[in-house]
């Protein structure tokens, strides 16, 4: 066992940014790739409801426009490439199976953008969910490898799409673990998470430690089955 | 992304056990291998304070007896083999480096016992902590492979040894994720966690999903550094 408290090595992290000093992201455009899926649509809904400008992306512009019209709240729809071009922050909410190919094809459009990967590589069999291990270590590290000119972060892994999409729920009681190697980018993504009532954005390490955060969804699925819940995470003492 | 809610496949899990119907473990003896380390000593202290009979194990019986005497509360000390023999539930709180060898040597003494692995295989460099991947998949799966006649579970990974050992703190605000392939064993370990004020024992999946739970300590170390905290976890909606 390694004690949590016995973290050796130099502490290179500067002091935390108080929530009140978070960057102002209210004018930034947020794109959601895979925005017609349950999780993408749920995130688009919550962010638009919070007043963020949102573009919902899909392979098909028509399907994206239809889904955007259904959401209302000023959400626009576009194909994935157009979504990437129009956005400052791009959330990647596509199935793991198409993740690498999609990002490789969008490398030019995503250059200079903040990319927020929220993909969980999981397999399923009769015993439930289990973690897949991408060759690069994690979905987020695969994104970073494919998008050398983007500012890649990882976040929003543990959200229930059911809760996100339920209009009768105003506040979602969970912390969003935000990972990344660039402080300015993770600060922005923490601020984005905190646009959604009930959520806190908590910095939780570098991209090299993304795999366990992505995979923890397998455990939360076990929790959900056992307790008939929509489990989320809170970090205590922060 | 895989939605948390879209867990396909048959649901084989029976309904959860209400806390009030948890097994009575008050008469069981709990051994702590590696009990002279910070985490082991902290767990021994908390469990003894809660009224559990505790045997603190170490390679050296003398060091174990000295540490036990320091703790008081009826805690006994013994060498690791004796500790395993005398205990019903055996917590493994040794450094990852000696984990496999220790367990291989104690396979006979641990036969029939409930083993609770709480080891986090981590490496450290100048950027902080990162996950190591044991050949078996996780420390807990290594334990299960080495101890085919024991009832192996995994739990207590995310506790701050500082908080555990601080006598001025009465309640520790955290959930304990409990993993294992045998329901009766995980129920007992959940009940054990709940002996400690403030803690809940939450079932969080099979041993094959232990790696991400063990590795998440790397992220909590990042949280602790950024926020000057002793971070713990809570599962919401349970």
């Amino acid at each position: 066992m390694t004690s949590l408290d016995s973290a050796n090595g130099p502490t290179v992290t500067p002091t935390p940014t108080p929530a009140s000093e978070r960057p102002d992201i209210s004018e930034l455009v947020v794109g959601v790739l895979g925005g017609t899926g349950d999780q993408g649509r749920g995130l688009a809904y919550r962010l638009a409801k919070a007043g963020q400008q949102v573009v919902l992306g899909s392979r098909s512009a028509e399907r994206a426009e239809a889904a955007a019209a259904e959401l209302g709240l000023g959400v626009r729809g576009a194909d994935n490439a157009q979504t990437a071009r129009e956005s400052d922050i791009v959330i990647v909410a596509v199935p793991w199976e198409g993740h690498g190919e999609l990002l490789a094809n969008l490398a030019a459009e995503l250059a200079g953008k903040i990319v927020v990967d929220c993909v969980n590589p999981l397999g399923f069999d009769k015993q439930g969910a289990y973690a897949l291990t991408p060759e690069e270590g994690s979905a987020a590290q695969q994104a970073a490898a494919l998008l050398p000119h983007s500012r890649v972060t990882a976040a929003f892994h543990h959200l229930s799409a059911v809760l996100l999409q339920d209009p009768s729920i105003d506040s979602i009681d969970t912390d969003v673990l935000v990972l990344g190697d660039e402080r300015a980018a993770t600060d922005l993504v923490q601020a984005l998470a905190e646009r959604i009532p009930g959520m806190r954005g908590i910095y939780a390490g570098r991209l090299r430690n993304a795999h366990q955060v992505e995979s923890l969804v397998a455990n939360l699925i076990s929790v959900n089955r056992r307790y008939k819940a929509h489990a989320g995470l809170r970090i205590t003492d922060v």
Side-chain angles (χ1 to χ4, degrees), chain A residues 116-152:
Chain A
V116 187
D117 203 296
C118 56
V119 174
N120 307 305
L122 293 185
F124 289 88
D125 62 18
K126 64 184 183 351
Q127 294 190 333
Y130 58 93
L132 302 176
T133 302
E135 201 183 311
E136 298 83 355
S138 61
Q141 286 164 293
Q142 184 186 76
L146 292 169
L147 305 172
H149 304 298
S150 303
R151 304 163 71 188
V152 176

Side-chain angles (χ1 to χ4, degrees), chain A residues 179-226:
Chain A
L179 294 94
D181 296 345
E182 184 205 337
R183 176 65 184 261
T186 56
D187 279 353
L188 276 173
V189 177
Q190 287 178 251
L192 184 67
E194 300 194 347
R195 297 280 283 174
I196 301 176
M199 291 190 194
R200 297 190 306 173
I202 304 284
Y203 173 76
R206 292 172 176 271
L207 290 185
R208 69 176 181 171
N209 283 316
H211 174 59
Q212 56 266 29
V213 173
E214 297 171 358
S215 309
L216 197 69
V217 172
N219 303 87
L220 294 178
I221 288 172
S222 295
V223 171
N224 286 347
R225 288 184 176 194
R226 174 68 61 94

Side-chain angles (χ1 to χ4, degrees), chain A residues 15-16 24 34 39 41-42 52 75 78 80 84 88 94 101 105 109 140 167 198 212:
Chain A
T15 49
D24 179 11
Q39 195 89 349
R41 195 166 45 213
Q52 207 74 33
V75 176
N80 284 324
D88 304 297
V94 298
E101 191 185 345
N105 288 335
E109 289 83 353
Q212 56 266 29

Side-chain angles (χ1 to χ4, degrees), chain A residues 224-237:
Chain A
N224 286 347
R225 288 184 176 194
R226 174 68 61 94
Y227 300 96
K228 317 288 180 223
H230 297 294
L233 283 183
R234 281 286 187 207
I235 303 292
T236 59
D237 199 38

Side-chain angles (χ1 to χ4, degrees), chain A residues 32-33 39-40 43 90-94 96 99 115-121 139-140 143 153-159 176-177 213-214 217:
Chain A
V32 182
L33 304 181
Q39 195 89 349
L43 279 168
V90 180
I91 296 174
V92 182
V94 298
W96 165 241
H99 180 262
V115 171
V116 187
D117 203 296
C118 56
V119 174
N120 307 305
T153 67
F156 298 117
H157 303 89
H158 304 137
L159 303 178
V176 172
L177 303 184
V213 173
E214 297 171 358
V217 172

